[in-house]
Amino acid sequence: MSNHTSWSSKIGFVLAAAGSAIGLGAIWKFPYTAGTNGGAVFFLLFLIFTVLVALPVQLAEFYIGRTGGQNAVDSFRVLRPGTQWLWVGRMGVAACFILLSFYSVVGGWVLNYVVHSFTGAIHAGADFEALFGTTISNPAGSLSYQALFMLITVWVVKGGISDGIEKANRYLMPGLFILFIALAIRSLTLPGAMEGVSFLLKPNWSYFKADTMITALGQAFFALSIGVSAMITYASYLGKDQDMFRSGHTIMWMNLLVSLLAGLVIFPAVFAFGFEPSQGPGLIFIVLPAVFMKMPFGTVLFAVFMLLVVFATLTSAFSMLETVIASTIRQDERKRKKHTWLIGTAIFIIGIPSALSFGIWSEFKVFGKTIFDLWDYLISAVIMPVGALSVAVFTAWIQDKQSVLKDAGAGSTVPRAVLLLWLNTLRYLAPIAIIIVFINSLGIL
């Protein structure tokens, strides 16, 4: 017996979809990418590309999911029966499976750092570079925290949409914003903090160049969680009377706000204590502990920050696992618990080589990359751009134009002119931008 579930409220969908988008991309990747690309110029380009390119593709995924009303695979089957377009959904489901297998490894590191904060490992004078190296190279520790992260994810997703994912996001997302605002206020009151604010908000136009634009464009796609069918899955639980355009804009601005808050927490503190903002991926694990240790109650504040990262990482993980689960239970909620445990366990097992890529398996390379780096490259450089391009082409070129406008505009007060602008952006601007990102990710540009 089929029992298709749905969100219990509009805000439930918005918080869950925002949670999917607001993950490591906003809190971890955005600050270090902005730090290495000039700060304010990067942020401005990131904002423009998010509004003009990434948002239209996200709305296209909403259209496919809500109109199809099924999981990521079957929604394409409903909209284009008898064609091969369902392989876009299958690719997205496979991407979420692989993505979560190594994303959970990073989630484990974050959980480990929360524990570090309470066990005395994070303290003034500590060698944070050595601590990070020890943390990620310890096989037992890496696997244990990866397992804990997956256990939490499975526990929430097995509860279903309204009782599991929606309920968890109702607490995690407001908690994330409250803690972020509190930390930003603390960071902004530090002596010399305005130099960091200027770095983030006052453009230095010498950084306005092709590399910065392409990096900002890639970050915009990564930030809204598009190209891996997660938004198709979440939108499939939306009613036809819900305004997907208003929801999409709310989710986008929430994501941009978190990225801004992350910058306002990190850069003022980094500048106040004389650190360099261009530290790369180790920014939150190596530089930030040293920064926080120079503040009063620094250990507690750092623990709060890492708790924020845990919240954001988990809300993204929920959407990845749900995308896979939805495609296997196919609306039969009786199968949810069993499938969630089985698939969650399988993802953990597949993720073991990624967890060991920084320790005992660090010398094992495929095409010159560790397993962790190989999966990361495959998802971010290949599948996400291909998935996003496929969604744009399917919506704007394959589907009937009038049907798309009617179905996408259902429940919305958006003027027809705006709907047409969205569809034309999907037809022309989005594909060109995605192809540029794809070519660049392959190292051709």
Side-chain angles (χ1 to χ4, degrees):
M1 190 175 97
S2 178
N3 180 25
H4 191 42
T5 187
S6 62
W7 304 106
S8 67
S9 64
K10 294 179 183 178
I11 190 64
F13 166 70
V14 168
L15 289 176
S20 174
I22 300 169
L24 289 175
I27 299 179
W28 175 47
K29 191 174 182 181
F30 171 78
Y32 84 71
T33 309
T36 54
N37 287 276
V41 168
F42 176 85
F43 183 51
L44 178 62
L45 291 170
F46 167 62
L47 190 155
I48 292 169
F49 290 141
T50 299
V51 174
L52 295 182
V53 183
L55 176 62
V57 178
Q58 183 190 63
L59 291 171
E61 293 200 355
F62 286 176
Y63 154 75
I64 293 169
R66 190 180 71 165
T67 308
Q70 308 284 326
N71 60 73
V73 178
D74 289 337
S75 284
F76 282 99
R77 183 180 278 117
V78 168
L79 293 175
R80 278 282 153 180
T83 69
Q84 299 302 310
W85 280 99
L86 54 84
W87 280 98
V88 176
R90 286 175 177 166
M91 180 177 65
V93 171
C96 282
F97 186 98
I98 296 168
L99 179 54
L100 187 52
S101 76
F102 69 85
Y103 190 88
S104 60
V105 174
V106 183
W109 299 346
V110 177
L111 285 173
N112 201 346
Y113 263 70
V114 174
V115 175
H116 282 335
S117 300
F118 293 101
T119 57
I122 306 291
H123 61 83
D127 185 340
F128 294 112
E129 189 167 356
L131 176 64
F132 183 58
T134 302
T135 299
I136 67 176
S137 63
N138 180 352
S142 292
L143 292 175
S144 297
Y145 282 102
Q146 179 201 3
L148 177 60
F149 183 86
M150 281 305 304
L151 183 64
I152 297 170
T153 304
V154 166
W155 188 262
V156 170
V157 174
K158 78 176 181 62
I161 293 302
S162 57
D163 290 334
I165 296 171
E166 185 175 346
K167 187 177 290 185
N169 278 288
R170 280 183 180 274
Y171 293 103
L172 293 177
M173 291 305 294
L176 185 147
F177 277 97
I178 291 167
L179 291 175
F180 241 139
I181 291 169
L183 281 178
I185 292 171
R186 178 66 190 99
S187 189
L188 289 169
T189 56
L190 293 169
M194 287 305 105
E195 190 179 349
V197 176
S198 177
F199 175 77
L200 182 63
L201 299 180
K202 185 179 178 181
N204 177 349
W205 296 108
S206 66
Y207 285 95
F208 188 75
K209 46 193 177 184
D211 285 351
T212 306
M213 294 179 69
I214 292 171
T215 305
L217 188 56
Q219 176 66 18
F221 285 116
F222 191 83
L224 284 189
S225 192
I226 57 178
V228 291
S229 298
M231 292 296 101
I232 295 176
T233 303
Y234 271 10
S236 72
Y237 304 124
L238 269 180
K240 297 291 193 291
D241 60 335
Q242 295 196 38
D243 189 338
M244 73 175 211
F245 279 85
R246 179 174 294 179
S247 296
H249 276 82
T250 303
I251 292 159
M252 178 194 71
W253 289 114
M254 286 175 71
N255 186 277
L256 289 170
L257 177 59
V258 167
S259 296
L260 176 62
L261 285 172
L264 291 176
V265 169
I266 292 169
F267 293 123
V270 165
F271 276 90
F273 295 114
F275 289 88
E276 287 296 322
S278 55
Q279 296 291 329
L283 184 64
I284 70 168
F285 293 109
I286 298 171
V287 178
L288 276 192
V291 170
F292 275 102
M293 289 312 101
K294 292 182 178 290
M295 299 183 194
F297 308 107
T299 304
V300 175
L301 291 173
F302 181 71
V304 170
F305 179 81
M306 294 312 293
L307 197 60
L308 280 174
V309 184
V310 169
F311 287 1
T313 311
L314 282 170
T315 52
S316 293
F318 298 157
S319 67
M320 295 175 207
L321 183 55
E322 176 60 26
T323 300
V324 183
I325 299 304
S327 70
T328 65
I329 65 173
R330 303 185 74 178
Q331 299 189 18
D332 189 346
E333 288 295 311
R334 296 173 304 174
K335 299 176 181 178
R336 175 174 288 275
K337 288 185 180 180
K338 180 181 177 182
H339 281 230
T340 306
W341 281 113
L342 289 173
I343 291 169
T345 302
I347 289 172
F348 167 73
I349 292 170
I350 295 299
I352 290 174
S354 294
L356 301 179
S357 290
F358 301 89
I360 58 176
W361 286 6
S362 60
E363 297 302 316
F364 181 74
K365 304 283 179 70
V366 180
F367 302 118
K369 298 179 183 293
T370 64
I371 298 298
F372 183 99
D373 290 337
L374 181 68
W375 286 140
D376 185 22
Y377 179 81
L378 177 66
I379 299 299
S380 5
V382 181
I383 292 182
M384 289 183 83
V386 171
L389 179 62
S390 300
V391 164
V393 170
F394 178 81
T395 304
W397 291 100
I398 303 302
Q399 290 295 90
D400 175 70
K401 177 180 176 180
Q402 297 307 319
S403 295
V404 171
L405 293 173
K406 177 184 175 183
D407 291 331
S412 176
T413 56
V414 172
R416 183 176 173 84
V418 174
L419 291 172
L420 285 169
L421 178 63
W422 163 67
L423 200 58
N424 284 324
T425 301
L426 274 182
R427 278 177 171 247
Y428 305 108
L429 180 60
I432 292 170
I434 296 166
I435 290 169
I436 290 171
V437 171
F438 183 50
I439 293 173
N440 179 69
S441 67
L442 296 178
I444 298 172
L445 282 182

